[in-house]
Amino acid sequence: MEKKNIDWANIGFGYHTTDKRFVSNYKNGAWDDGVLTEDANIVLNECAGVLQYAQTIFEGLKAYTTEDGHIVTFRPDLNAQRMVDSAKFLEMPPFPADRFVEAVVETVKANAAYVPPYGSGATLYIRPYMFGSNPVIGVKPADEYQFRVFTTPVGPYFKGGAQPITIKVSDYDRAAPHGTGHIKAGLNYAMSLHAIVTAHAEGFDENMYLDAATRTKVEETGGANFIFVTKDNKIVTPHSSSILPSITRRSLIHVAKEYLGLEVEEREVYFDEVKDFAECGLCGTAAVISPVGKIYDHGNEICFPSGMDAMGPITQKLYDTLTGIQMGRIKAPEGWIKVIE
Ligand code: PLP
Ligand code: COI
């Protein structure tokens, strides 16, 4: 199959319309069979639940071309399960996990010409999402929903790819205790828009959010979890009930322990400890592992010993092993790689 003529190395993290997307509707208590469509637009009633009360959730995963030329995706069953959890919390009817994986496979197959070639530095980002589609004016869940999957080829989330970034400790909160921080609801990202525009205007790449209740513990950024490395090469990653359970973080914990023989602590991380770490990185599907060189906190700077020129050595090992597994250069743990074609 002939690939599209796209400048893969320079596409950045943006939306490019691809040929087909999957759509399934929920009505009268059941999901229909779903179809692939060429229509990238959605027509909705003015009073649709998603437009009035933000009843929408989403997922993000990627398709990769492996070294031996297959198209694969990474742990889609975990995205399917997380979307079930998100749906339940927003009182939406879950899209069945096995059908989620089938829809992802079908959509990627239909857009195979947009899966960037091996070694191009780009990947195909897959965005499953669902929303309340019928009119609701009293505050209540919708009765009808639409589940969709589209794809878009993407480059690195942060400009410069693996170049260390600078982040700031945000004055805003992302998620409340006992709120929606642990699910992938659109409203969490709406919450972060003023904070990210403010951070960018001040010259920072991202925000570090602290826990809303005490503002003493590290939570996550707007779109990724944190991974820290201690001076004696231990991995430390924040545990919190108000952060998104990142599939990349969960995978990196396994990689660190089983592939690299490193000790891993998943625990509450106090901001006061951060200055003592040797390396810091952001991990997520979009971010992969993006090294953080500097954290700005109200006039004080934390500069990690790994510096602003390159990833620290442990972050680099984690990055090489994870991407090696995803691109088929390193043997994956059982069940991590779903071969699409
Ligand atoms: N945290 C937030 C707020 C995110 O939006 C994401 C992206 O999905 C992540 C963490 C990383 O999660 P994952 O590794 O499953 O992509
Ligand atoms: C992802 O990594 O898939 C996300 O959803 C993060 C988003 C900020 C693009």
Side-chain angles (χ1 to χ4, degrees):
M1 167 265 325
E2 203 176 318
K3 294 284 176 190
K4 297 284 169 180
N5 183 19
I6 293 173
D7 181 11
W8 307 108
N10 294 300
I11 46 177
F13 197 89
Y15 171 73
H16 299 259
T17 311
T18 54
D19 292 344
K20 300 273 177 73
R21 64 276 305 126
F22 179 85
V23 187
S24 172
N25 288 297
Y26 180 91
K27 203 172 173 172
N28 301 324
W31 289 103
D32 68 17
D33 289 345
V35 286
L36 285 174
T37 166
E38 285 174 8
D39 191 355
N41 296 308
I42 299 168
V43 177
L44 281 176
N45 182 274
E46 61 192 350
C47 201
V50 58
L51 298 178
Q52 301 308 322
Y53 302 123
Q55 202 184 14
T56 180
I57 55 175
F58 69 99
E59 272 304 323
L61 65 164
K62 283 173 171 172
Y64 310 84
T65 303
T66 57
E67 195 172 26
D68 61 0
H70 288 291
I71 295 175
V72 304
T73 184
F74 184 71
R75 310 189 79 179
D77 52 317
L78 298 191
N79 295 92
Q81 185 53 50
R82 193 168 63 188
M83 198 164 192
V84 167
D85 297 341
S86 297
K88 287 180 180 163
F89 205 79
L90 284 199
E91 294 294 336
M92 303 164 98
F95 193 75
D98 53 341
R99 290 201 53 204
F100 174 107
V101 175
E102 283 166 19
V104 163
V105 168
E106 223 184 292
T107 313
V108 172
K109 265 191 190 159
N111 296 293
Y114 294 89
V115 183
Y118 176 76
S120 65
T123 51
L124 188 75
Y125 187 70
I126 308 162
R127 175 52 64 87
Y129 61 113
M130 61 182 268
F131 52 87
S133 54
N134 68 304
V136 275
I137 193 67
V139 178
K140 67 179 179 86
D143 304 305
E144 294 174 13
Y145 293 86
Q146 192 163 106
F147 168 86
R148 299 177 73 104
V149 183
F150 72 78
T151 58
T152 176
V154 295
Y157 191 65
F158 295 105
K159 256 197 240 119
Q163 200 69 17
I165 59 169
T166 303
I167 65 175
K168 72 169 279 190
V169 176
S170 184
D171 292 323
Y172 302 100
D173 296 322
R174 178 179 182 272
H178 316 294
T180 54
H182 63 297
I183 61 162
K184 212 161 165 58
L187 60 92
N188 292 332
Y189 300 80
M191 282 287 290
S192 74
L193 294 177
H194 180 58
I196 193 65
V197 169
T198 304
H200 285 164
E202 294 171 350
F204 302 103
D205 297 299
E206 247 296 359
N207 282 300
M208 169 185 270
Y209 293 103
L210 300 180
D211 74 293
T214 71
R215 309 204 114 246
T216 58
K217 289 175 270 185
V218 176
E219 291 264 287
E220 60 177 329
T221 70
N225 284 178
F226 278 103
I227 293 263
F228 299 101
V229 182
T230 65
K231 286 181 178 141
D232 56 357
N233 294 345
K234 223 184 270 167
I235 305 295
V236 178
T237 181
H239 176 81
S240 162
S241 57
S242 47
I243 65 174
L244 193 77
S246 159
I247 293 160
T248 313
R249 169 177 48 90
R250 286 181 266 161
S251 305
L252 285 171
I253 289 174
H254 182 87
V255 161
K257 287 183 186 164
E258 306 301 327
Y259 285 64
L260 303 175
L262 299 170
E263 212 177 297
V264 178
E265 288 179 5
E266 198 178 355
R267 59 165 171 85
E268 290 187 332
V269 176
Y270 284 86
F271 181 68
D272 277 353
E273 302 174 57
V274 170
K275 62 179 183 332
D276 300 321
F277 291 125
E279 298 175 37
C280 171
L282 308 183
C283 66
T285 299
V288 193
I289 308 178
S290 299
V292 175
K294 201 189 285 184
I295 301 179
Y296 178 84
D297 173 35
H298 304 95
N300 297 317
E301 280 185 353
I302 296 172
C303 298
F304 292 102
S306 49
M308 294 302 294
D309 293 330
M311 289 192 192
I314 299 291
T315 307
Q316 186 75 57
K317 276 189 191 165
L318 288 169
Y319 180 93
D320 290 345
T321 313
L322 179 70
T323 54
I325 289 169
Q326 290 166 335
M327 312 277 177
R329 291 186 298 268
I330 296 175
K331 189 170 165 27
E334 187 69 33
W336 279 24
I337 299 296
K338 171 94 186 158
V339 178
I340 290 178
E341 63 176 45

